[in-house]
Amino acid sequence: MHGLLVGGGERGGAVNVQVAVLYSLLLVTFMTVLQAGLFFYGRDLALSAARSGVDLGRTYGTVDAAAAQTHTESVLVSNAHGVLSNATATASANDATMTVTVDAEVVTLVPGLTMHVSTSSTGAIEQLTR
């Protein structure tokens, strides 16, 4: 018993605590980088769907905001499944421009965390000029 008290006891205990803290910080950093990547990927998917809707809706002679919205929603369903949830698209047009806006929530790695993404694309309506 005397040997345990005079230097023969727990050797390296402080190192184990340091390694546990270091690995915890490394794990938090890794999860943060992954979550940021998911957010930016989800934002890119939403913007791509909005651009696709604008391209369809602003065509000369067939300007149709409802068709742009429907197309955007179908692109979201086919391409963003598993990354974006509760995605909605709205489209509007005036005499000069077509705008499509996508609102969605990005999937998260942390339970209870919600990340909202909202992006829009605007394009000029094609006009026939002489």
Side-chain angles (χ1 to χ4, degrees), residues 10-111:
E10 297 180 31
R11 300 179 77 192
V15 173
N16 291 337
V17 171
Q18 290 173 350
V19 169
V21 169
L22 178 66
Y23 282 150
S24 297
L25 290 175
L26 192 62
L27 180 63
V28 167
T29 302
F30 182 69
M31 295 290 280
T32 302
V33 168
L34 281 176
Q35 186 62 60
L38 278 171
F39 175 79
F40 288 114
Y41 180 58
R43 188 181 69 172
D44 188 51
L45 286 172
L47 183 59
S48 178
R51 285 181 180 163
S52 180
V54 166
D55 287 342
L56 178 98
R58 69 185 187 102
T59 306
Y60 176 72
T62 60
V63 176
D64 188 3
Q69 179 176 341
T70 302
H71 179 72
T72 302
E73 290 170 348
S74 69
V75 169
L76 286 169
V77 167
S78 64
N79 294 339
H81 182 69
V83 178
L84 298 177
S85 62
N86 300 328
T88 59
T90 56
S92 62
N94 58 27
D95 293 337
T97 60
M98 163 78 63
T99 301
V100 176
T101 303
V102 174
D103 294 308
E105 291 179 7
V106 179
V107 67
T108 59
L109 302 172
V110 179

